[in-house]
Amino acid sequence: MQAKAIAKYIRMTPRKVRLVVDVIRGKDVKDAEDLLRFIPRMASTPIDKVLKSAKANAVNNHDMIEDRLFVAQAFVDAGPTLKRLMPRARGTANIVKKRTSHITIILEERHG
């Protein structure tokens, strides 16, 4: 059985979020929470929220045991990109791409 949580439209680039998500993939939930608390990156805050949401879904909705949970899958997809204009010299403009991310975390129970 799997428990899942998704955070959509997070205003952070997927590339930066993936650096943190790659660290917690396959870890126990308790270890992942400890790691996220001390990783010095802005992306660790929304990932921690998604992890806690997935844990709550597992315990409350699927009757899983909290001590046996581990991060089975964790991935980041690109959301829509907000395009903004930055004025430049001689009346021209550059496009500034403000990227968004969709964070998905799937938890499972270890047996044994």
Side-chain angles (χ1 to χ4, degrees):
M1 180 159 297
Q2 295 179 334
K4 178 164 123 174
I6 302 172
K8 291 189 169 188
Y9 308 107
I10 303 299
R11 262 291 295 123
M12 237 170 256
T13 65
R15 184 175 178 177
K16 291 176 183 177
V17 179
R18 280 187 195 113
L19 290 171
V20 180
V21 167
D22 291 343
V23 172
I24 66 163
R25 191 178 293 119
K27 301 263 193 303
D28 289 334
V29 170
K30 183 71 178 147
D31 295 339
E33 286 176 337
D34 291 340
L35 282 169
L36 288 173
R37 194 172 300 123
F38 295 109
I39 290 176
R41 293 198 171 266
M42 290 292 288
S44 60
T45 305
I47 292 171
D48 190 39
K49 286 178 80 170
V50 178
L51 182 64
K52 286 179 179 170
S53 176
K55 182 173 79 170
N57 290 340
V59 172
N60 296 319
N61 299 344
H62 302 295
D63 298 325
M64 296 170 138
I65 300 168
E66 187 175 336
D67 296 336
R68 292 185 182 173
L69 293 175
F70 74 100
V71 181
Q73 296 177 43
F75 52 90
V76 180
D77 297 320
T81 301
L82 305 172
K83 294 179 179 81
R84 300 291 180 256
L85 293 177
M86 171 79 73
R88 304 304 288 180
R90 298 185 175 194
T92 62
N94 283 354
I95 295 177
V96 176
K97 294 179 181 176
K98 295 179 178 254
R99 299 180 188 273
T100 60
S101 304
H102 300 323
I103 304 168
T104 305
I105 293 181
I106 299 173
L107 303 180
E108 289 181 8
E109 248 181 335
R110 284 201 203 279
H111 297 288

